[in-house]
Amino acid sequence: MSKNATPEELETAMLSLLEERGPGKTIGPADVAQVLGGNQPEGWGPLMQPVRKVAVRLMKEGRIVILRKGRPVDPDDFRGTYRLALPPEAET
């Protein structure tokens, strides 16, 4: 568990959780942060911004989808609560 998780560690955790969850299912950014930061807010809280940055990069690469209210967002301009999912083509 590391408060200084690397982008690579966050990416690995994010993609692993999505694959475990399965096609058509979503995860929250806190789920990813808790894998590396633990269950206490002081552990996972500082990882929330790095998780968001990794999610934005992966969406731009077409590897995940960021959803807000069940719809894909503009990765450069979204606010509030969001979920992460595999892209539909990866669900085959």
Side-chain angles (χ1 to χ4, degrees), residues 76-91:
D76 293 318
D77 185 30
F78 69 98
R79 296 179 181 201
T81 304
Y82 63 97
R83 303 285 295 170
L84 306 169
L86 292 172
E89 60 271 9
E91 295 175 5

Side-chain angles (χ1 to χ4, degrees), residues 15-91:
L15 294 173
S16 293
L17 282 173
L18 284 167
E19 288 178 22
E20 280 176 27
R21 199 64 50 102
K25 304 290 184 189
T26 64
I27 61 171
D31 298 328
V32 179
Q34 288 174 1
V35 166
L36 297 168
N39 293 329
Q40 298 300 315
E42 60 273 6
W44 60 263
L47 295 174
M48 293 299 286
Q49 268 312 110
V51 165
R52 182 183 176 105
K53 288 178 183 172
V54 169
V56 166
R57 178 177 52 79
L58 291 176
M59 184 168 178
K60 288 179 178 181
E61 292 172 3
R63 297 172 66 194
I64 68 164
V65 179
I66 301 171
L67 303 168
R68 178 147 165 74
K69 297 183 179 178
R71 296 190 182 135
V73 300
D74 175 348
D76 293 318
D77 185 30
F78 69 98
R79 296 179 181 201
T81 304
Y82 63 97
R83 303 285 295 170
L84 306 169
L86 292 172
E89 60 271 9
E91 295 175 5

Side-chain angles (χ1 to χ4, degrees), residues 4-13 36 50 53-54 57-58:
N4 298 320
T6 66
E8 293 77 21
E9 290 171 321
L10 292 169
E11 177 181 328
T12 298
L36 297 168
K53 288 178 183 172
V54 169
R57 178 177 52 79
L58 291 176

